[in-house]
């Protein structure tokens, strides 16, 4: 049986965990939960057959709520896309910001092999609070060298902020990243740009664990007007 002292310690530990958990999720004054429209999952269960040296620990759990400043809006819907491959093998670049995120055929754009990028123009600089990307989710895959950069410069030659980089061995030549590789799922990947500012958001990838090609179903960028 627990002694009162042990019980108090237990309750305190539990409370700390709850408080820390709340702060970790970014909840607080002036924040609201980011509301997302998610596609239906195409596969169920936790894939265990993918081996990669930089893969995150797979929990199989949903992402849970994510909190953003009140007034945060989806900025990328129907915005124009540029790419290192302006003539995709499959699909049209406009599909990246059409709001459709289903995993089946007819929803993904296929870009050529090796390192490629896509870039959304938000039309003006914004403070960014959430970036999501769906590469492909009808099959468990890891996309290589996922790097996300922001800039006010269309060609990303100056004022570049890197908000995600899981290229641990610099094979993409954009610098070594400390983020982990991940398996694509229907809820997409949420990247926290922590209020970093930019007009152009560029997404790199460098093939995947099934083939050398690069795929995109949708990208979403959420933010507030830059002050
Ligand atoms: Ca789409
Ligand atoms: Ca790499």
């Amino acid at each position: 049986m627990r002694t009162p002292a042990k019980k108090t310690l237990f309750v305190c530990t539990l409370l700390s965990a709850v408080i820390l958990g709340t702060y970790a999720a970014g909840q607080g004054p002036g924040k609201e939960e980011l509301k997302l429209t998610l596609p239906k999952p195409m596969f169920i269960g936790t894939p265990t057959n993918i081996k990669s040296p930089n893969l995150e620990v797979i929990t199989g759990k949903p992402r849970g709520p994510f909190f953003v400043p009140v007034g945060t809006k989806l900025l990328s819907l129907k915005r124009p896309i540029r790419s290192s491959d302006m003539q995709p093998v499959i699909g049209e670049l406009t599909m990246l910001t059409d709001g459709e995120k289903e995993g089946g055929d007819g929803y993904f754009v296929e870009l050529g092999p090796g390192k490629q990028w896509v870039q959304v123009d938000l039309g003006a600089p914004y403070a960014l609070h959430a970036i999501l990307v769906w590469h492909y989710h009808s099959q468990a895959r890891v996309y290589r060298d996922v790097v996300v950069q922001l800039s006010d410069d269309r060609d990303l030659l100056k004022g570049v902020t890197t908000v995600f980089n899981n290229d641990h061995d610099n094979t993409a030549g954009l610098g070594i990243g400390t983020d982990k590789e991940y398996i694509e799922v229907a809820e997409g990947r949420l990247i926290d740009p922590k209020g970093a500012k930019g007009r152009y958001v560029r997404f790199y990838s460098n093939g995947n664990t099934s083939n050398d090609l690069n795929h995109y179903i949708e990208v979403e960028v959420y933010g507030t007007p830059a002050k």
Side-chain angles (χ1 to χ4, degrees):
M1 208 174 141
R2 255 189 210 113
T3 63
K6 274 188 180 165
K7 194 169 178 181
T8 306
L9 184 67
F10 173 74
V11 170
C12 285
T13 310
L14 196 68
L15 271 175
S16 307
V18 168
I19 291 164
L20 283 172
T22 304
Y23 278 107
Q27 201 169 9
K31 295 282 188 84
E32 62 186 1
E33 187 182 340
L34 180 66
K35 292 277 182 274
L36 297 168
T37 307
L38 298 178
K40 60 178 185 301
M42 300 283 286
F43 61 90
I44 294 167
T46 306
T48 52
N49 56 338
I50 294 184
K51 297 276 180 281
S52 195
N54 190 35
L55 192 59
E56 68 182 6
V57 175
I58 300 155
T59 66
K61 293 190 186 118
R63 178 167 49 231
F66 183 77
F67 294 86
V68 291
V70 172
T72 295
K73 290 200 165 47
L74 175 60
L75 307 168
S76 52
L77 191 66
K78 311 284 184 192
R79 294 299 310 170
I81 297 281
R82 268 177 75 211
S83 174
S84 54
D85 184 356
M86 288 301 286
Q87 292 183 309
V89 184
I90 299 171
E92 308 277 342
L93 292 173
T94 52
M95 289 159 61
L96 268 70
T97 51
D98 65 358
E100 300 282 350
K101 303 163 204 164
E102 295 303 322
D105 288 347
Y107 290 99
F108 65 84
V109 174
E110 183 172 275
L111 306 177
K115 185 172 99 175
Q116 302 284 356
W117 53 261
V118 298
Q119 176 174 313
V120 59
D121 176 4
L122 303 175
Y126 288 89
L128 305 183
H129 305 301
I131 296 173
L132 285 104
V133 55
W134 289 259
H135 285 108
Y136 191 89
H137 64 87
S138 66
Q139 176 195 60
R141 287 181 180 181
V142 173
Y143 280 76
R144 307 286 194 198
D145 303 344
V146 175
V147 181
V148 181
Q149 295 184 326
L150 322 173
S151 179
D152 287 345
D153 176 29
R154 183 177 184 267
D155 296 314
L156 277 79
L157 297 175
K158 55 187 180 195
V160 175
T161 306
T162 300
V163 295
F164 188 88
N165 182 345
N166 70 9
D167 181 13
H168 71 290
D169 54 2
N170 199 25
T171 43
L174 296 162
I176 289 174
T178 55
D179 293 299
K180 291 289 190 183
E181 291 181 334
Y182 59 91
I183 294 176
E184 295 283 334
V185 288
E187 67 174 10
R189 191 64 179 191
L190 192 156
I191 293 161
D192 184 359
K194 300 187 169 77
K197 294 183 181 73
R199 169 175 171 171
Y200 300 95
V201 183
R202 186 178 287 195
F203 303 78
Y204 289 91
S205 60
N206 193 3
N208 66 84
T209 45
S210 293
N211 55 58
D212 288 342
L213 302 167
N214 295 277
H215 304 90
Y216 286 89
I217 294 170
E218 189 80 4
V219 298
E220 285 189 337
V221 181
Y222 293 84
T224 48
K227 289 197 183 73

